[in-house]
PDB file of all heavy atoms in Angstrom:
ATOM      1  N   ALA A  92       0.839  -1.224  -0.019  1.00 95.00           N
ATOM      2  CA  ALA A  92      -0.019   0.009  -0.004  1.00 95.00           C
ATOM      3  C   ALA A  92       0.866   1.274   0.026  1.00 95.00           C
ATOM      4  O   ALA A  92       0.539   2.218  -0.684  1.00 95.00           O
ATOM      5  CB  ALA A  92      -0.940   0.000   1.240  1.00 95.00           C
ATOM      6  N   LEU A  93       1.969   1.257   0.733  1.00 95.00           N
ATOM      7  CA  LEU A  93       2.770   2.465   0.819  1.00 95.00           C
ATOM      8  C   LEU A  93       3.466   2.778  -0.478  1.00 95.00           C
ATOM      9  O   LEU A  93       3.901   3.913  -0.659  1.00 95.00           O
ATOM     10  CB  LEU A  93       3.822   2.221   1.958  1.00 95.00           C
ATOM     11  CG  LEU A  93       3.241   2.168   3.394  1.00 95.00           C
ATOM     12  CD1 LEU A  93       4.370   1.930   4.393  1.00 95.00           C
ATOM     13  CD2 LEU A  93       2.484   3.412   3.727  1.00 95.00           C
ATOM     14  N   ALA A  94       3.535   1.868  -1.368  1.00 96.00           N
ATOM     15  CA  ALA A  94       4.168   2.091  -2.712  1.00 96.00           C
ATOM     16  C   ALA A  94       3.192   2.620  -3.743  1.00 96.00           C
ATOM     17  O   ALA A  94       3.552   2.997  -4.851  1.00 96.00           O
ATOM     18  CB  ALA A  94       4.844   0.831  -3.206  1.00 96.00           C
ATOM     19  N   LYS A  95       1.865   2.707  -3.359  1.00 96.00           N
ATOM     20  CA  LYS A  95       0.850   3.072  -4.299  1.00 96.00           C
ATOM     21  C   LYS A  95       0.698   4.603  -4.329  1.00 96.00           C
ATOM     22  O   LYS A  95       0.992   5.316  -3.363  1.00 96.00           O
ATOM     23  CB  LYS A  95      -0.495   2.457  -3.955  1.00 96.00           C
ATOM     24  CG  LYS A  95      -0.550   0.943  -4.108  1.00 96.00           C
ATOM     25  CD  LYS A  95      -1.893   0.414  -3.741  1.00 96.00           C
ATOM     26  CE  LYS A  95      -1.981  -1.074  -3.935  1.00 96.00           C
ATOM     27  NZ  LYS A  95      -3.374  -1.647  -3.576  1.00 96.00           N
ATOM     28  N   LEU A  96       0.107   5.060  -5.436  1.00 95.00           N
ATOM     29  CA  LEU A  96      -0.236   6.485  -5.571  1.00 95.00           C
ATOM     30  C   LEU A  96      -1.594   6.719  -4.995  1.00 95.00           C
ATOM     31  O   LEU A  96      -2.409   5.751  -4.960  1.00 95.00           O
ATOM     32  CB  LEU A  96      -0.198   6.885  -7.071  1.00 95.00           C
ATOM     33  CG  LEU A  96       1.152   6.905  -7.757  1.00 95.00           C
ATOM     34  CD1 LEU A  96       1.001   7.082  -9.252  1.00 95.00           C
ATOM     35  CD2 LEU A  96       2.040   7.994  -7.120  1.00 95.00           C
ATOM     36  N   PRO A  97      -1.940   7.932  -4.572  1.00 93.00           N
ATOM     37  CA  PRO A  97      -3.207   8.220  -3.951  1.00 93.00           C
ATOM     38  C   PRO A  97      -4.408   7.767  -4.718  1.00 93.00           C
ATOM     39  O   PRO A  97      -5.432   7.304  -4.115  1.00 93.00           O
ATOM     40  CB  PRO A  97      -3.229   9.711  -3.779  1.00 93.00           C
ATOM     41  CG  PRO A  97      -1.787  10.026  -3.670  1.00 93.00           C
ATOM     42  CD  PRO A  97      -1.076   9.124  -4.561  1.00 93.00           C
ATOM     43  N   HIS A  98      -4.415   7.836  -6.113  1.00 93.00           N
ATOM     44  CA  HIS A  98      -5.642   7.528  -6.872  1.00 93.00           C
ATOM     45  C   HIS A  98      -5.883   6.046  -6.803  1.00 93.00           C
ATOM     46  O   HIS A  98      -7.021   5.588  -7.246  1.00 93.00           O
ATOM     47  CB  HIS A  98      -5.460   8.025  -8.286  1.00 93.00           C
ATOM     48  CG  HIS A  98      -4.531   7.166  -9.102  1.00 93.00           C
ATOM     49  ND1 HIS A  98      -3.201   7.471  -9.268  1.00 93.00           N
ATOM     50  CD2 HIS A  98      -4.669   6.015  -9.848  1.00 93.00           C
ATOM     51  CE1 HIS A  98      -2.600   6.543 -10.059  1.00 93.00           C
ATOM     52  NE2 HIS A  98      -3.499   5.650 -10.363  1.00 93.00           N
ATOM     53  N   GLU A  99      -4.993   5.208  -6.368  1.00 94.00           N
ATOM     54  CA  GLU A  99      -5.210   3.769  -6.253  1.00 94.00           C
ATOM     55  C   GLU A  99      -5.977   3.325  -4.993  1.00 94.00           C
ATOM     56  O   GLU A  99      -6.175   2.133  -4.822  1.00 94.00           O
ATOM     57  CB  GLU A  99      -3.809   3.047  -6.315  1.00 94.00           C
ATOM     58  CG  GLU A  99      -3.111   3.262  -7.633  1.00 94.00           C
ATOM     59  CD  GLU A  99      -1.739   2.556  -7.685  1.00 94.00           C
ATOM     60  OE1 GLU A  99      -1.749   1.367  -8.024  1.00 94.00           O
ATOM     61  OE2 GLU A  99      -0.695   3.222  -7.359  1.00 94.00           O
ATOM     62  N   PHE A 100      -6.327   4.310  -4.232  1.00 93.00           N
ATOM     63  CA  PHE A 100      -7.113   4.075  -3.011  1.00 93.00           C
ATOM     64  C   PHE A 100      -8.545   4.647  -3.152  1.00 93.00           C
ATOM     65  O   PHE A 100      -8.683   5.683  -3.851  1.00 93.00           O
ATOM     66  CB  PHE A 100      -6.429   4.695  -1.760  1.00 93.00           C
ATOM     67  CG  PHE A 100      -5.100   4.111  -1.387  1.00 93.00           C
ATOM     68  CD1 PHE A 100      -3.974   4.650  -1.943  1.00 93.00           C
ATOM     69  CD2 PHE A 100      -5.006   3.034  -0.587  1.00 93.00           C
ATOM     70  CE1 PHE A 100      -2.671   4.163  -1.645  1.00 93.00           C
ATOM     71  CE2 PHE A 100      -3.748   2.475  -0.222  1.00 93.00           C
ATOM     72  CZ  PHE A 100      -2.589   3.077  -0.781  1.00 93.00           C
ATOM     73  N   SER A 101      -9.474   3.973  -2.499  1.00 90.00           N
ATOM     74  CA  SER A 101     -10.796   4.516  -2.436  1.00 90.00           C
ATOM     75  C   SER A 101     -10.873   5.757  -1.496  1.00 90.00           C
ATOM     76  O   SER A 101      -9.938   5.936  -0.692  1.00 90.00           O
ATOM     77  CB  SER A 101     -11.814   3.478  -1.973  1.00 90.00           C
ATOM     78  OG  SER A 101     -11.539   3.171  -0.654  1.00 90.00           O
ATOM     79  N   GLY A 102     -11.985   6.483  -1.487  1.00 88.00           N
ATOM     80  CA  GLY A 102     -12.144   7.622  -0.572  1.00 88.00           C
ATOM     81  C   GLY A 102     -12.055   7.172   0.856  1.00 88.00           C
ATOM     82  O   GLY A 102     -11.411   7.863   1.732  1.00 88.00           O
ATOM     83  N   GLY A 103     -12.706   6.068   1.208  1.00 90.00           N
ATOM     84  CA  GLY A 103     -12.706   5.584   2.595  1.00 90.00           C
ATOM     85  C   GLY A 103     -11.277   5.135   2.976  1.00 90.00           C
ATOM     86  O   GLY A 103     -10.837   5.401   4.124  1.00 90.00           O
ATOM     87  N   GLN A 104     -10.543   4.534   2.092  1.00 92.00           N
ATOM     88  CA  GLN A 104      -9.129   4.156   2.380  1.00 92.00           C
ATOM     89  C   GLN A 104      -8.252   5.441   2.590  1.00 92.00           C
ATOM     90  O   GLN A 104      -7.434   5.404   3.483  1.00 92.00           O
ATOM     91  CB  GLN A 104      -8.614   3.292   1.333  1.00 92.00           C
ATOM     92  CG  GLN A 104      -9.188   1.872   1.270  1.00 92.00           C
ATOM     93  CD  GLN A 104      -8.630   1.048   0.097  1.00 92.00           C
ATOM     94  OE1 GLN A 104      -8.481   1.584  -1.029  1.00 92.00           O
ATOM     95  NE2 GLN A 104      -8.430  -0.239   0.338  1.00 92.00           N
ATOM     96  N   ARG A 105      -8.486   6.427   1.748  1.00 92.00           N
ATOM     97  CA  ARG A 105      -7.707   7.589   1.934  1.00 92.00           C
ATOM     98  C   ARG A 105      -8.028   8.284   3.299  1.00 92.00           C
ATOM     99  O   ARG A 105      -7.089   8.817   3.947  1.00 92.00           O
ATOM    100  CB  ARG A 105      -7.970   8.602   0.850  1.00 92.00           C
ATOM    101  CG  ARG A 105      -6.986   8.375  -0.357  1.00 92.00           C
ATOM    102  CD  ARG A 105      -7.256   9.323  -1.472  1.00 92.00           C
ATOM    103  NE  ARG A 105      -8.312   8.842  -2.378  1.00 92.00           N
ATOM    104  CZ  ARG A 105      -8.468   9.192  -3.635  1.00 92.00           C
ATOM    105  NH1 ARG A 105      -7.704  10.130  -4.145  1.00 92.00           N
ATOM    106  NH2 ARG A 105      -9.469   8.750  -4.314  1.00 92.00           N
ATOM    107  N   GLN A 106      -9.188   8.235   3.712  1.00 92.00           N
ATOM    108  CA  GLN A 106      -9.514   8.843   4.950  1.00 92.00           C
ATOM    109  C   GLN A 106      -8.984   7.991   6.157  1.00 92.00           C
ATOM    110  O   GLN A 106      -8.509   8.599   7.183  1.00 92.00           O
ATOM    111  CB  GLN A 106     -11.052   9.008   5.203  1.00 92.00           C
ATOM    112  CG  GLN A 106     -11.472  10.113   6.153  1.00 92.00           C
ATOM    113  CD  GLN A 106     -10.891  11.476   5.807  1.00 92.00           C
ATOM    114  OE1 GLN A 106      -9.712  11.688   5.798  1.00 92.00           O
ATOM    115  NE2 GLN A 106     -11.795  12.434   5.508  1.00 92.00           N
ATOM    116  N   ARG A 107      -8.853   6.691   5.949  1.00 93.00           N
ATOM    117  CA  ARG A 107      -8.165   5.860   6.939  1.00 93.00           C
ATOM    118  C   ARG A 107      -6.669   6.255   7.017  1.00 93.00           C
ATOM    119  O   ARG A 107      -6.071   6.270   8.117  1.00 93.00           O
ATOM    120  CB  ARG A 107      -8.299   4.326   6.584  1.00 93.00           C
ATOM    121  CG  ARG A 107      -9.740   3.743   6.786  1.00 93.00           C
ATOM    122  CD  ARG A 107      -9.826   2.323   6.213  1.00 93.00           C
ATOM    123  NE  ARG A 107     -11.225   1.852   6.321  1.00 93.00           N
ATOM    124  CZ  ARG A 107     -11.644   1.181   7.358  1.00 93.00           C
ATOM    125  NH1 ARG A 107     -10.875   0.964   8.406  1.00 93.00           N
ATOM    126  NH2 ARG A 107     -12.917   0.815   7.399  1.00 93.00           N
ATOM    127  N   LEU A 108      -6.100   6.486   5.859  1.00 95.00           N
ATOM    128  CA  LEU A 108      -4.685   6.905   5.809  1.00 95.00           C
ATOM    129  C   LEU A 108      -4.474   8.262   6.510  1.00 95.00           C
ATOM    130  O   LEU A 108      -3.469   8.440   7.217  1.00 95.00           O
ATOM    131  CB  LEU A 108      -4.241   6.999   4.414  1.00 95.00           C
ATOM    132  CG  LEU A 108      -4.025   5.642   3.660  1.00 95.00           C
ATOM    133  CD1 LEU A 108      -3.884   5.880   2.171  1.00 95.00           C
ATOM    134  CD2 LEU A 108      -2.904   4.802   4.247  1.00 95.00           C
ATOM    135  N   MET A 109      -5.506   9.123   6.328  1.00 94.00           N
ATOM    136  CA  MET A 109      -5.408  10.431   7.022  1.00 94.00           C
ATOM    137  C   MET A 109      -5.598  10.251   8.539  1.00 94.00           C
ATOM    138  O   MET A 109      -4.854  10.918   9.343  1.00 94.00           O
ATOM    139  CB  MET A 109      -6.505  11.383   6.534  1.00 94.00           C
ATOM    140  CG  MET A 109      -6.249  11.945   5.165  1.00 94.00           C
ATOM    141  SD  MET A 109      -4.611  12.685   4.936  1.00 94.00           S
ATOM    142  CE  MET A 109      -4.595  13.892   6.205  1.00 94.00           C
ATOM    143  N   ILE A 110      -6.355   9.294   9.062  1.00 94.00           N
ATOM    144  CA  ILE A 110      -6.466   9.035  10.463  1.00 94.00           C
ATOM    145  C   ILE A 110      -5.103   8.452  10.972  1.00 94.00           C
ATOM    146  O   ILE A 110      -4.615   8.898  12.066  1.00 94.00           O
ATOM    147  CB  ILE A 110      -7.611   8.024  10.750  1.00 94.00           C
ATOM    148  CG1 ILE A 110      -8.960   8.682  10.462  1.00 94.00           C
ATOM    149  CG2 ILE A 110      -7.576   7.525  12.190  1.00 94.00           C
ATOM    150  CD1 ILE A 110     -10.147   7.725  10.572  1.00 94.00           C
ATOM    151  N   ALA A 111      -4.488   7.601  10.161  1.00 95.00           N
ATOM    152  CA  ALA A 111      -3.228   7.115  10.507  1.00 95.00           C
ATOM    153  C   ALA A 111      -2.174   8.242  10.663  1.00 95.00           C
ATOM    154  O   ALA A 111      -1.393   8.264  11.636  1.00 95.00           O
ATOM    155  CB  ALA A 111      -2.758   5.996   9.493  1.00 95.00           C
ATOM    156  N   LEU A 112      -2.164   9.091   9.686  1.00 95.00           N
ATOM    157  CA  LEU A 112      -1.173  10.246   9.662  1.00 95.00           C
ATOM    158  C   LEU A 112      -1.391  11.090  10.867  1.00 95.00           C
ATOM    159  O   LEU A 112      -0.492  11.687  11.419  1.00 95.00           O
ATOM    160  CB  LEU A 112      -1.299  10.951   8.322  1.00 95.00           C
ATOM    161  CG  LEU A 112      -0.182  11.921   7.998  1.00 95.00           C
ATOM    162  CD1 LEU A 112       1.181  11.245   8.059  1.00 95.00           C
ATOM    163  CD2 LEU A 112      -0.438  12.532   6.622  1.00 95.00           C
ATOM    164  N   SER A 113      -2.688  11.334  11.236  1.00 95.00           N
ATOM    165  CA  SER A 113      -2.959  12.229  12.319  1.00 95.00           C
ATOM    166  C   SER A 113      -2.509  11.612  13.671  1.00 95.00           C
ATOM    167  O   SER A 113      -2.196  12.373  14.667  1.00 95.00           O
ATOM    168  CB  SER A 113      -4.424  12.599  12.417  1.00 95.00           C
ATOM    169  OG  SER A 113      -5.191  11.449  12.892  1.00 95.00           O
ATOM    170  N   LEU A 114      -2.478  10.238  13.802  1.00 96.00           N
ATOM    171  CA  LEU A 114      -2.204   9.639  15.098  1.00 96.00           C
ATOM    172  C   LEU A 114      -0.696   9.280  15.224  1.00 96.00           C
ATOM    173  O   LEU A 114      -0.206   9.082  16.291  1.00 96.00           O
ATOM    174  CB  LEU A 114      -3.066   8.370  15.237  1.00 96.00           C
ATOM    175  CG  LEU A 114      -4.534   8.596  15.388  1.00 96.00           C
ATOM    176  CD1 LEU A 114      -5.293   7.313  15.453  1.00 96.00           C
ATOM    177  CD2 LEU A 114      -4.819   9.364  16.706  1.00 96.00           C
ATOM    178  N   LEU A 115       0.013   9.168  14.111  1.00 95.00           N
ATOM    179  CA  LEU A 115       1.435   8.772  14.109  1.00 95.00           C
ATOM    180  C   LEU A 115       2.344   9.696  14.982  1.00 95.00           C
ATOM    181  O   LEU A 115       3.185   9.185  15.702  1.00 95.00           O
ATOM    182  CB  LEU A 115       1.949   8.736  12.696  1.00 95.00           C
ATOM    183  CG  LEU A 115       1.728   7.414  11.990  1.00 95.00           C
ATOM    184  CD1 LEU A 115       2.069   7.663  10.493  1.00 95.00           C
ATOM    185  CD2 LEU A 115       2.618   6.304  12.524  1.00 95.00           C
ATOM    186  N   PRO A 116       2.097  11.066  15.056  1.00 95.00           N
ATOM    187  CA  PRO A 116       2.948  11.843  15.896  1.00 95.00           C
ATOM    188  C   PRO A 116       2.585  11.675  17.394  1.00 95.00           C
ATOM    189  O   PRO A 116       3.182  12.392  18.221  1.00 95.00           O
ATOM    190  CB  PRO A 116       2.627  13.283  15.448  1.00 95.00           C
ATOM    191  CG  PRO A 116       2.064  13.168  14.063  1.00 95.00           C
ATOM    192  CD  PRO A 116       1.341  11.851  14.121  1.00 95.00           C
ATOM    193  N   GLN A 117       1.626  10.836  17.729  1.00 95.00           N
ATOM    194  CA  GLN A 117       1.154  10.655  19.092  1.00 95.00           C
ATOM    195  C   GLN A 117       0.727  11.971  19.718  1.00 95.00           C
ATOM    196  O   GLN A 117       1.171  12.431  20.727  1.00 95.00           O
ATOM    197  CB  GLN A 117       2.273  10.074  19.960  1.00 95.00           C
ATOM    198  CG  GLN A 117       2.714   8.676  19.446  1.00 95.00           C
ATOM    199  CD  GLN A 117       3.842   8.028  20.233  1.00 95.00           C
ATOM    200  OE1 GLN A 117       4.285   8.557  21.316  1.00 95.00           O
ATOM    201  NE2 GLN A 117       4.405   6.965  19.742  1.00 95.00           N
ATOM    202  N   PRO A 118      -0.307  12.594  19.083  1.00 96.00           N
ATOM    203  CA  PRO A 118      -0.829  13.909  19.517  1.00 96.00           C
ATOM    204  C   PRO A 118      -1.602  13.803  20.840  1.00 96.00           C
ATOM    205  O   PRO A 118      -2.080  12.728  21.238  1.00 96.00           O
ATOM    206  CB  PRO A 118      -1.649  14.363  18.342  1.00 96.00           C
ATOM    207  CG  PRO A 118      -2.200  13.102  17.798  1.00 96.00           C
ATOM    208  CD  PRO A 118      -1.094  12.063  17.944  1.00 96.00           C
ATOM    209  N   GLN A 119      -1.866  15.015  21.387  1.00 97.00           N
ATOM    210  CA  GLN A 119      -2.769  15.072  22.527  1.00 97.00           C
ATOM    211  C   GLN A 119      -4.220  15.436  22.001  1.00 97.00           C
ATOM    212  O   GLN A 119      -5.219  15.064  22.593  1.00 97.00           O
ATOM    213  CB  GLN A 119      -2.303  16.146  23.511  1.00 97.00           C
ATOM    214  CG  GLN A 119      -1.022  15.780  24.263  1.00 97.00           C
ATOM    215  CD  GLN A 119      -0.447  17.009  24.949  1.00 97.00           C
ATOM    216  OE1 GLN A 119       0.229  17.864  24.340  1.00 97.00           O
ATOM    217  NE2 GLN A 119      -0.767  17.132  26.219  1.00 97.00           N
ATOM    218  N   LEU A 120      -4.265  16.091  20.889  1.00 97.00           N
ATOM    219  CA  LEU A 120      -5.540  16.589  20.348  1.00 97.00           C
ATOM    220  C   LEU A 120      -5.568  16.425  18.772  1.00 97.00           C
ATOM    221  O   LEU A 120      -4.591  16.774  18.149  1.00 97.00           O
ATOM    222  CB  LEU A 120      -5.780  18.098  20.623  1.00 97.00           C
ATOM    223  CG  LEU A 120      -6.954  18.788  19.967  1.00 97.00           C
ATOM    224  CD1 LEU A 120      -8.282  18.162  20.491  1.00 97.00           C
ATOM    225  CD2 LEU A 120      -6.948  20.288  20.257  1.00 97.00           C
ATOM    226  N   VAL A 121      -6.633  15.798  18.274  1.00 97.00           N
ATOM    227  CA  VAL A 121      -6.847  15.722  16.841  1.00 97.00           C
ATOM    228  C   VAL A 121      -8.078  16.612  16.473  1.00 97.00           C
ATOM    229  O   VAL A 121      -9.122  16.465  17.147  1.00 97.00           O
ATOM    230  CB  VAL A 121      -7.082  14.269  16.418  1.00 97.00           C
ATOM    231  CG1 VAL A 121      -7.532  14.172  14.987  1.00 97.00           C
ATOM    232  CG2 VAL A 121      -5.829  13.388  16.619  1.00 97.00           C
ATOM    233  N   ILE A 122      -7.931  17.436  15.515  1.00 97.00           N
ATOM    234  CA  ILE A 122      -9.078  18.277  15.015  1.00 97.00           C
ATOM    235  C   ILE A 122      -9.537  17.644  13.700  1.00 97.00           C
ATOM    236  O   ILE A 122      -8.781  17.559  12.790  1.00 97.00           O
ATOM    237  CB  ILE A 122      -8.692  19.710  14.810  1.00 97.00           C
ATOM    238  CG1 ILE A 122      -8.230  20.358  16.126  1.00 97.00           C
ATOM    239  CG2 ILE A 122      -9.792  20.479  14.178  1.00 97.00           C
ATOM    240  CD1 ILE A 122      -7.845  21.806  16.006  1.00 97.00           C
ATOM    241  N   ALA A 123     -10.765  17.107  13.767  1.00 95.00           N
ATOM    242  CA  ALA A 123     -11.320  16.432  12.602  1.00 95.00           C
ATOM    243  C   ALA A 123     -12.450  17.299  12.047  1.00 95.00           C
ATOM    244  O   ALA A 123     -13.500  17.448  12.603  1.00 95.00           O
ATOM    245  CB  ALA A 123     -11.917  15.085  12.972  1.00 95.00           C
ATOM    246  N   ASP A 124     -12.224  17.870  10.876  1.00 90.00           N
ATOM    247  CA  ASP A 124     -13.146  18.850  10.271  1.00 90.00           C
ATOM    248  C   ASP A 124     -14.107  18.147   9.319  1.00 90.00           C
ATOM    249  O   ASP A 124     -13.746  17.973   8.159  1.00 90.00           O
ATOM    250  CB  ASP A 124     -12.352  19.965   9.609  1.00 90.00           C
ATOM    251  CG  ASP A 124     -13.273  21.058   9.093  1.00 90.00           C
ATOM    252  OD1 ASP A 124     -14.432  21.152   9.546  1.00 90.00           O
ATOM    253  OD2 ASP A 124     -12.852  21.850   8.194  1.00 90.00           O
ATOM    254  N   GLU A 125     -15.220  17.763   9.760  1.00 89.00           N
ATOM    255  CA  GLU A 125     -16.225  17.018   9.025  1.00 89.00           C
ATOM    256  C   GLU A 125     -15.588  15.916   8.115  1.00 89.00           C
ATOM    257  O   GLU A 125     -15.650  15.891   6.916  1.00 89.00           O
ATOM    258  CB  GLU A 125     -17.004  18.015   8.067  1.00 89.00           C
ATOM    259  CG  GLU A 125     -17.629  19.139   8.901  1.00 89.00           C
ATOM    260  CD  GLU A 125     -18.827  19.770   8.230  1.00 89.00           C
ATOM    261  OE1 GLU A 125     -19.588  19.046   7.534  1.00 89.00           O
ATOM    262  OE2 GLU A 125     -18.964  20.991   8.322  1.00 89.00           O
ATOM    263  N   PRO A 126     -14.851  14.986   8.761  1.00 87.00           N
ATOM    264  CA  PRO A 126     -14.039  14.045   7.943  1.00 87.00           C
ATOM    265  C   PRO A 126     -14.761  12.985   7.221  1.00 87.00           C
ATOM    266  O   PRO A 126     -14.105  12.277   6.434  1.00 87.00           O
ATOM    267  CB  PRO A 126     -13.184  13.422   9.053  1.00 87.00           C
ATOM    268  CG  PRO A 126     -13.983  13.444  10.346  1.00 87.00           C
ATOM    269  CD  PRO A 126     -14.763  14.761  10.197  1.00 87.00           C
ATOM    270  N   THR A 127     -16.063  12.862   7.384  1.00 85.00           N
ATOM    271  CA  THR A 127     -16.860  11.794   6.678  1.00 85.00           C
ATOM    272  C   THR A 127     -17.884  12.458   5.686  1.00 85.00           C
ATOM    273  O   THR A 127     -18.620  11.731   5.037  1.00 85.00           O
ATOM    274  CB  THR A 127     -17.627  10.962   7.658  1.00 85.00           C
ATOM    275  OG1 THR A 127     -18.487  11.788   8.400  1.00 85.00           O
ATOM    276  CG2 THR A 127     -16.698  10.219   8.637  1.00 85.00           C
TER     277      THR A 127
END
């Protein structure tokens, strides 16, 4: 998956990837602006 380009993922998969990216830095607060 990490070798693929963005267009090779569905919208739901891309939003899962954004959730992953938001949690990787181990934040205290995540701001989700109408993510669905």
Side-chain angles (χ1 to χ4, degrees):
L93 293 178
K95 292 181 179 180
L96 293 171
H98 75 267
E99 297 179 82
F100 295 91
S101 68
Q104 287 177 322
R105 270 181 276 200
Q106 204 59 296
R107 288 173 185 271
L108 290 166
M109 287 308 304
I110 292 173
L112 193 55
S113 73
L114 293 175
L115 275 166
Q117 299 177 10
Q119 294 167 276
L120 173 65
V121 173
I122 296 178
D124 185 18
E125 305 203 40
T127 59

